Amino acid sequence: MRSTFLLLAPALIAAAGVASQVSAQSLPTAPTVLADGTLLEISAEGRTSRVPDVATIRAGVVTQAPTAAAALSDNAGRMARVLAALKKAGVAPRDIRTANVALAPQYRYADGQPPAVTGYQASNSVSIRFRDVAKSGAILDALVAQGANQIDGPSLSLDQPDAALDEARAAAVKIATARAQLYARAAGMNVVRIVSISESGSNDGGSPPPMVFMARAKAAPSTEISAGETDVSVTLAVRFLLK
């Protein structure tokens, strides 16, 4: 875990009193009232781990046909079966959201000739949120069996990350306090109090965007998705007054 510090001499702290003569944009972030002493600023990151309880996966259907109408019609029929499979698996309507609908011509290219339209490709995909991560793999197998031929995911996250974030915040304060005491001892001073705390960044446990892969016509019989653990982190900037 990294930490940085900034020591400000008492004279510099007193100079902050001329704020009325300086534009607001040029002023550093500092407490309004400061006693004589030295400011020490610590940047600390607190972390905790949780098992993700939500998996978000994008599943869709890609179809091709000689005409746009045929491509859309075929796509709509297969997508209807995919949505029915999701409903049968117990996925709530609020956890199913249309992600993309597209129709595009397909071309054949030849030297010295203009591109020729050979057909049309239609695609339709939905974003599905699984609240039981262990069952998501089996549901994906069922979707492929019903016509889904494009899978994107999973993205694993926490349904309610607030408690984990608060735990990380508390850890960051403890780390910053320990660092401040270390620097104070090295400088022959004591930590008097915390002057300010600001949060400069956080990670609520979400995983990065996954890669896209195309499913085969027949899905593997035992697709598994392992939740593992995810890190929840918060970075704080904490100012201490030393004397």
Side-chain angles (χ1 to χ4, degrees), residues 97-114:
R97 177 177 57 85
T98 298
N100 181 67
V101 177
L103 176 68
Q106 302 298 292
Y107 295 96
R108 181 181 64 246
Y109 297 90
D111 293 340
Q113 299 180 7

Side-chain angles (χ1 to χ4, degrees), residues 115-169:
V117 176
T118 59
Y120 292 83
Q121 177 175 284
S123 61
N124 189 342
S125 62
V126 290
S127 176
I128 312 158
R129 186 165 48 187
F130 296 100
R131 299 181 185 275
D132 188 342
V133 178
K135 293 182 179 180
S136 56
I139 295 177
L140 289 179
D141 290 341
L143 296 184
V144 173
Q146 294 300 320
N149 57 6
Q150 188 176 49
I151 304 293
D152 177 359
S155 175
L156 301 174
S157 61
L158 300 175
D159 186 31
Q160 297 181 348
D162 291 345
L165 286 169
D166 287 346
E167 187 176 316
R169 292 182 179 104

Side-chain angles (χ1 to χ4, degrees), residues 165 169 197-202 233-237:
L165 286 169
R169 292 182 179 104
I197 300 176
S198 62
E199 190 169 309
S200 58
S202 64
S233 63
V234 173
T235 301
L236 300 180

Side-chain angles (χ1 to χ4, degrees), residues 13-235:
I13 299 174
V18 299
S20 60
Q21 302 177 16
V22 184
S23 65
Q25 293 182 348
S26 65
L27 288 176
T29 302
T32 304
V33 179
L34 289 175
D36 291 338
T38 300
L39 276 183
L40 170 67
E41 183 172 308
I42 302 288
S43 177
E45 182 183 64
R47 287 179 176 270
T48 188
S49 297
R50 290 289 191 277
V51 176
D53 53 7
V54 174
T56 302
I57 296 173
R58 201 156 97 167
V61 175
V62 178
T63 56
Q64 294 183 347
T67 66
L72 280 176
S73 177
D74 185 18
N75 190 279
R78 294 191 187 188
M79 199 64 192
R81 295 196 297 272
V82 168
L83 294 175
L86 287 172
K87 182 178 180 180
K88 183 178 180 180
V91 180
R94 68 190 178 102
D95 291 329
I96 304 172
R97 177 177 57 85
T98 298
N100 181 67
V101 177
L103 176 68
Q106 302 298 292
Y107 295 96
R108 181 181 64 246
Y109 297 90
D111 293 340
Q113 299 180 7
V117 176
T118 59
Y120 292 83
Q121 177 175 284
S123 61
N124 189 342
S125 62
V126 290
S127 176
I128 312 158
R129 186 165 48 187
F130 296 100
R131 299 181 185 275
D132 188 342
V133 178
K135 293 182 179 180
S136 56
I139 295 177
L140 289 179
D141 290 341
L143 296 184
V144 173
Q146 294 300 320
N149 57 6
Q150 188 176 49
I151 304 293
D152 177 359
S155 175
L156 301 174
S157 61
L158 300 175
D159 186 31
Q160 297 181 348
D162 291 345
L165 286 169
D166 287 346
E167 187 176 316
R169 292 182 179 104
V173 172
K174 290 181 180 179
I175 292 169
T177 301
R179 293 284 193 274
Q181 293 171 345
L182 173 65
Y183 290 130
R185 287 194 301 269
M189 298 180 175
N190 295 312
V191 176
V192 177
R193 61 184 174 88
I194 292 177
V195 175
S196 66
I197 300 176
S198 62
E199 190 169 309
S200 58
S202 64
N203 172 20
D204 62 3
S207 60
M211 296 181 65
V212 178
F213 67 91
M214 298 295 292
R216 294 180 179 178
K218 184 177 180 180
S222 58
T223 301
E224 294 183 5
I225 294 177
S226 301
E229 282 192 347
T230 186
D231 287 337
V232 177
S233 63
V234 173
T235 301

